[in-house]
Amino acid sequence: MASNKPITADPSLHCLIGRDLPPSAGQPVVLTADAAEWDTGKGGRGDAHLSGVGNISEVREGGSVCMVTWHTGATFPYPTGVLGRFYLAAHPLSTPLSLR
């Protein structure tokens, strides 16, 4: 049975997009816990991210914002440095070994 709890990343343990690794289109990502909480609460985006892994579909504003497409086809923007916020982490299997 699938869990409704999103897969999230602990920023102290994972490679954050925009802080530790530059964003690139096609990169698989997961949300940080703060982002998942914002998505389902204030963001009103529902559960598009519950599949756990999305892909960066577009890098905007010099890399400080990224569009992520989820399995549902929904696409939303996430901060990757704007205002000091980092809401995306590299999917653990896509993180370069030197950064793990």
Side-chain angles (χ1 to χ4, degrees), residues 17-60:
I17 303 298
R19 184 189 76 181
D20 304 314
L21 193 64
S24 62
Q27 181 167 18
V29 294
V30 295
L31 293 182
T32 63
D34 287 345
E37 184 178 316
W38 189 87
D39 253 15
T40 54
K42 292 180 185 176
R45 296 177 178 174
D47 60 1
H49 65 273
L50 288 179
S51 67
V53 181
N55 289 300
I56 294 176
S57 53
E58 184 181 350
V59 178
R60 293 183 175 178

Side-chain angles (χ1 to χ4, degrees), residues 21 27-29 90-96 100:
L21 193 64
Q27 181 167 18
V29 294
H91 184 273
L93 297 178
S94 72
T95 305
R100 287 188 199 171

Side-chain angles (χ1 to χ4, degrees), residues 64-77:
S64 63
V65 174
C66 290
M67 300 299 292
V68 175
T69 301
W70 302 101
H71 78 289
T72 61
T75 300
F76 298 112

